[in-house]
Amino acid sequence: MDIVKTGKVSIFVLCILCFAIITFTLYLAKRRKEPIKLRTIAGIAAIEEGIGSSLERGKPFAVDLHTSGVTGVDGVVALSYLAYSAKKAALAGCDIIVGMGAPEVVPIAEDIVRTAYATGPKPEMFNAARMIQFISPVQFAYTGGWLGLVGREKPGAILICGSMGAEAMIIGEAGMMVNALQIASASSITNIPFFITSCDYVIIAEEHYVGAAVVSGDKTQIGCIVGQDAWKILTIALIVIGSIMTTLGLKELTNLLKI
Amino acid sequence: MSVTFKKYIPLGILSVLGFYMIASYFLAVPVIVDSAREAQNFSAIISTVALGFGPFAILRQHIPRSRKGNIYSIVLLAGLIGMPVLYLITGSTTSLPYDWLYRSTVTALDPGIYCLVAFAIIAGCFRAFRIRNIDSLLVMVAAVVLLLGKVPIGEPFKPLSDWFMAVPNTAGYRGVQLGVGLGVFAYTLRILLGTERTWLAEVGEG
């Protein structure tokens, strides 16, 4: 009897290899005294700028978590961005409004924002009923609700970090109409073009996940990105070698990956 | 409740179950596969129980108070309470009043909001296709070729339009997908190893 399922052996081996490389770089980063320096992601830096701008204009900072739940990676990444934004907003004494459509996210988001304000200089600013806005888990019902919320509250800056579909363009335009500084973080190829046209800063694709490590400020997590890059170089090398071998009519690598 | 119970034990359970589910995807050991399926059933049960708390959370948030948008809260509460009451009175979800109310509100509003995409896209196109530099010129040319390739009048542009979609677009798409795949893998690994805790409000200076 096979221990590994047929057709998944090669993927299993590659996953183990990737796991080993990333874990090793995590270990190296932990031992390292100096933190690894990464290039600045403009979108991440713009979150503070957005909070500052909102504060100057006396408007709230809005975060759109969209209908992403915690069962998907994007929803969890969105919570990382929320934690960072809430902390920065609480430190600056800026009002924050969080829109969400997944019921299970409501208590988590509330806890994140409450913790941020409780550790900030103005804990009395926290107001769950106003700051935590559950809209709807239904795609276009959420969109309508978000349009209303942006129209009423007129935030000074908006961070869009949930995963969405066709409504991405409407969500982006809503912020444009109230002259808000907009930062979007998207991993979906179908959302990125829409956000590029309507937002001031876009955290694109891989940056979406890397950003979550960057906002943590934890050198161990940043070390993980080095492992991720090393694995990416190996993957690209595999693609190039595979392309050359297939062009030459050699099927060994293709057959090996089918095991 | 101590931090151990509130944070570390749930994180430990998450980590063990996460690696277990990954193992069930690869391994052909019946015990692991069957128990992983059972664990997924538990996930559905927990979600259903959590759903029961939803209406209470909504009531708490939308019970009218002096703030902007109270009227919308009233409409929401009317729907939240009115629809189950109507169901209890009529005893069926296919009854005329229940069906009429659903069709004339939810079914009508959903495509109504969707239609706004057209206006938003026009506004977006206006900004995206404004020629300011060589990059935006290239975007503009590619967009015009693609649009022409999709309509009967632009038949001569179809091969070039198809090439744009099959070669540069696919290359970019695969590049992004590769990065996203690796990003998801590394992020998941960070969560399972317990190093990624920003989603639990543990944020550094960034």
Side-chain angles (χ1 to χ4, degrees), chain A residues 1-5 8 11-12 15 18-19 22-23 26 73 76-77 79-80 83-84 87-88 103 108 110-112 115 128-129 132-135 138 140-141 143-144 147 152-153 166-167 169-170 173 176 187 189 192 194 197-198 205-206 209 212-218 220-221 224 228 231-232 235-236 239, chain B residues 6 19 23-30 33 43 47 50-51 54 57-58 60-62 65 67-69 72 76 109-111 113-117 119-121 123-125 127-128 172-173 176-191 193 195-206:
Chain A
M1 190 186 76
D2 294 333
I3 292 175
V4 180
K5 288 175 187 170
K8 287 179 180 170
I11 304 168
F12 182 63
C15 272
C18 185
F19 177 82
I22 292 174
T23 314
L26 276 173
V73 178
V76 184
V77 173
L79 290 175
S80 297
Y84 178 72
K87 187 179 178 184
K88 293 290 177 189
I108 305 172
E110 194 177 318
D111 190 47
I112 288 173
T115 309
I132 311 298
Q133 300 268 340
F134 172 77
I135 300 173
V138 181
F140 287 106
T143 310
L147 284 177
R152 285 192 302 277
E153 301 288 350
E167 72 278 23
M169 197 70 219
I170 307 176
E173 281 301 311
M176 280 292 292
S187 62
I189 193 88
I192 295 167
F194 292 143
T197 59
S198 58
E206 200 181 346
Y209 305 100
V214 173
V215 299
S216 74
D218 177 13
T220 318
Q221 284 199 52
C224 176
Q228 200 176 316
W231 181 250
K232 196 196 277 182
T235 311
I236 292 168
I239 291 169
Chain B
K6 199 179 170 187
F19 281 116
S24 76
Y25 177 78
F26 288 112
L27 304 180
V29 182
V33 175
S43 152
S47 302
L51 200 65
I58 291 174
R60 193 169 61 106
Q61 206 171 46
H62 286 275
R65 62 182 74 78
R67 65 174 166 101
K68 288 179 189 173
Y72 306 108
L76 186 140
L109 287 170
D110 214 34
I113 297 284
Y114 189 28
C115 289
L116 290 177
V117 174
F119 298 101
I121 282 184
C125 284
R127 281 194 302 276
Y173 176 82
V176 169
Q177 287 302 96
L178 179 68
V180 167
L182 278 171
V184 169
F185 188 89
Y187 188 80
T188 311
L189 202 60
R190 291 206 305 271
I191 287 179
L193 292 173
T195 56
E196 169 64 63
R197 289 203 288 263
T198 46
W199 61 290
L200 294 170
E202 284 187 20
V203 183
E205 288 309 307

Side-chain angles (χ1 to χ4, degrees), chain B residues 64-139:
Chain B
R65 62 182 74 78
S66 57
R67 65 174 166 101
K68 288 179 189 173
N70 261 348
I71 183 72
Y72 306 108
S73 292
I74 294 166
V75 172
L76 186 140
L77 291 172
L80 184 74
I81 297 160
M83 291 300 273
V85 168
L86 200 61
Y87 169 76
L88 290 172
I89 294 168
T90 59
S92 164
T93 54
T94 52
S95 65
L96 189 67
Y98 191 95
D99 193 49
W100 177 83
L101 206 58
Y102 186 82
R103 281 180 190 279
S104 56
T105 54
V106 179
T107 314
L109 287 170
D110 214 34
I113 297 284
Y114 189 28
C115 289
L116 290 177
V117 174
F119 298 101
I121 282 184
I122 291 167
C125 284
F126 180 74
R127 281 194 302 276
F129 298 155
R130 200 184 295 163
I131 300 167
R132 286 159 299 190
N133 49 36
I134 193 78
D135 298 341
S136 52
L137 176 69
L138 289 173
V139 170

Side-chain angles (χ1 to χ4, degrees), chain A residues 170-185:
Chain A
I170 307 176
I171 297 283
E173 281 301 311
M176 280 292 292
M177 283 192 282
V178 296
N179 288 324
L181 185 144
Q182 291 203 100
I183 307 139
S185 184

Side-chain angles (χ1 to χ4, degrees), chain B residues 1-12:
Chain B
M1 198 188 285
S2 70
V3 181
T4 312
F5 274 99
K6 199 179 170 187
K7 197 167 277 181
Y8 296 113
I9 291 177
L11 275 176

